[in-house]
Structures are given as structure tokens and as C-alpha cells.
Amino acid sequence: MCGIVGLFLKDPALEPELGALLTRMLVTMSDRGPDSAGLAIYGAEAPGLAKLTVQSDTPEATFAGLDTDLGAALGAPVTLRARSTHAVLTLPEGQLDTARAALATLRPAARVMGRGRTIEIYKEVGLPRDVAARFDIASMSGTHGIGHTRMATESAVTTLGAHPFNTGPDQCLVHNGSLSNHNSLRRKLRHHGILTETENDTEVGAAYLTWRMQTGATLGAALTSALRDLDGFFTFVVGTRDGFGVVRDPIACKPAVMAETDQYVAFGSEYRALVDLPGIQTARVWEPEPATVYFWTRDTPSPAQKAA
């Protein structure tokens, strides 16, 4: 049992409130998973630049001078913004992969949590209230975000094992459920050059979607193919740079509820995650259907797109 939330904003006037709204949504789900928590925030992008979110158990030592050292290795300017055990490194977009490889040498204690033009991922062991406060998520603005509070079933309770999982630029996944074929799928993905870092089944689900989108699939098409290729029971909420998607397996035994207004689309494992959202009293509220893909993008914010 885990708790999932997601919020996709249609109204730019709400963007300064994204972090605060998402934090309140996730805190209400705390009793669904006390082990660890995490949030992905999709914020503003700067032309030609990208971000690496990194984590360290010894942040003062790891982050000291990291921007200078990484900039020297890349031959390009790098800025660093630290938040507790995490730091966001901003660098030229074309050097994301080079920077990630350089980090392994420059700062072996640094672990990459997320990468992309807009995404920042913050996750740690602990309750949602404490994790969100540690990183001051409530102060963050953005266009959309997803969050997760975990009750571990498939792997150890660690920062790396917490959700969301980021396996491709600006793409991340949170999951409630269990995938039964994740080991065989992990081997298949490895043959396609898609690597995972943990034993967590959710990371395999994220990597699968990354692989499908790398081969040209849209978010909707990738989620549709997941219904065919993933075994087990699952509710997925996925974020991309310009989109937000939801899918439940054909049995749909994991709880899920959605709400849509002219200002936003919201997801929660339970309705109580949505009750503090503005205008929820007049929102269209529904339970996502089994084996049905729902997705929204910046270009098509309404109505919901569905693919059986």
C-alpha cells in the first residue's frame, strides 16, 4: 500500500502555489506509506540549459565546490543550488550525459535523482511532512508535479528506493502496486541500453516507458503498451516535460480518484488528497477506469485524452 498524488495545472495563475498544493495533497496520504516520500516538480526552463538533481548523505562535503569542479570538467559554466541533502546543478543541456559521467569521478557520494530541462526530484526516507519541509517544497512553483509516499514491499527502504523514479530526461513515474515480471523486463531493457540502479520494480516500469518513448511513442502510446507488456497490479502516474498521464491495470484493485476543473487536473489515491484544492466542490470527479490511459499535455490541456 502506497499513496500517490499528481497535479497538472492549466491555469498559470496557480503555478506559484504548485508546491504548497502538492505538499498538502501528499501529507494527507501519509498513513498509506510511512517509509519514504518524494516529489517531482516541473518548473520553469531556461533556453539551452538543463538540470541535474543530485543527493548525498554528506551534502556539505559533497556539494562544496562541486559547481566549480564540474564546470572545469565540462569546460562550461555550472551553477549549484543546495536544498538540504539535495542540490540542483544547472548546466548546458547538451552536456547532461557528460556531466552525469563526470560526477561519478568527481563526487562518488553524489547520486542522481533526476535530470531534464524542467524537472527537479526531491526524495528521502521519512514521512511526507518531514521530507517536504526539509526541501521547502511548499515554496516551489511550477506547471505540474507528482508525489509518492511509500510502504516498501519490493526492495529496501532507502533514498534510492523511494519514488519518483527518473529514467529519462524530464520523465518520472510513481507507482502503487507490484510488477511480477520486473526481473525479466529489466534484462530486456538492459539489452536496449536502458539501465536501472535499484532492485525496485517501479524503476523498471519507469525505464520501460523511457524505452518506449525513446523509440518514438507518445506518452499515451507508451502507457497503452504497458498494459500489454507489464504483468502485475499497478496504478501509474507519469510526468513528462509537457505532460501528465495515468493508467491502471485491467483489474484496478489499487484505489484511484481524479478531478478536473478549468484550472487543473488532479490525481489522488483517495479523495481526501483532493479536498483542499481550489474549486474542488464543483470539479468533475471520477474513478479512472481499468486498462484505460488518461493523459494531458501543454498543447491539449482539456479534455482528457484516452486510449484503450
Side-chain angles (χ1 to χ4, degrees), residues 138-159:
S139 71
M140 297 184 191
S141 63
T143 55
H144 55 298
I146 62 178
H148 186 274
T149 185
R150 183 181 182 220
M151 180 176 287
T153 58
E154 293 290 336
S155 60
V157 178
T158 64
T159 301

Side-chain angles (χ1 to χ4, degrees), residues 51-111:
K51 297 184 280 191
L52 278 175
T53 308
V54 298
Q55 183 271 354
S56 174
D57 294 334
T58 55
E60 289 187 5
T62 301
F63 300 155
L66 177 55
D67 48 350
T68 301
D69 294 346
L70 185 58
L74 299 180
V78 173
T79 62
L80 183 149
R81 173 168 42 88
R83 286 180 182 258
S84 185
T85 58
H86 288 46
V88 177
L89 297 161
T90 302
L91 55 134
E93 181 181 6
Q95 300 206 46
L96 263 179
D97 291 340
T98 303
R100 192 173 185 184
L103 274 173
T105 300
L106 294 171
R107 297 292 193 280
R111 297 176 288 189

Side-chain angles (χ1 to χ4, degrees), residues 196-270:
T196 55
E197 297 183 63
T198 74
E199 296 302 313
N200 194 296
D201 59 333
T202 302
E203 188 183 15
V204 175
Y208 170 84
L209 295 175
T210 295
W211 171 57
R212 294 294 299 155
M213 286 188 278
Q214 284 183 356
T215 58
T218 63
L219 172 59
L223 289 170
T224 300
S225 66
L227 291 167
R228 179 187 66 243
D229 294 339
L230 301 183
D231 293 333
F233 49 95
F234 55 86
T235 295
F236 285 165
V237 178
V238 184
T240 66
R241 185 173 67 86
D242 65 348
F244 169 89
V246 173
V247 67
R248 302 171 81 193
D249 68 83
I251 298 174
C253 64
K254 293 299 181 180
V257 63
M258 300 194 72
E260 184 171 17
T261 72
D262 290 340
Q263 291 185 296
Y264 60 81
V265 180
F267 175 95
S269 291
E270 300 177 36

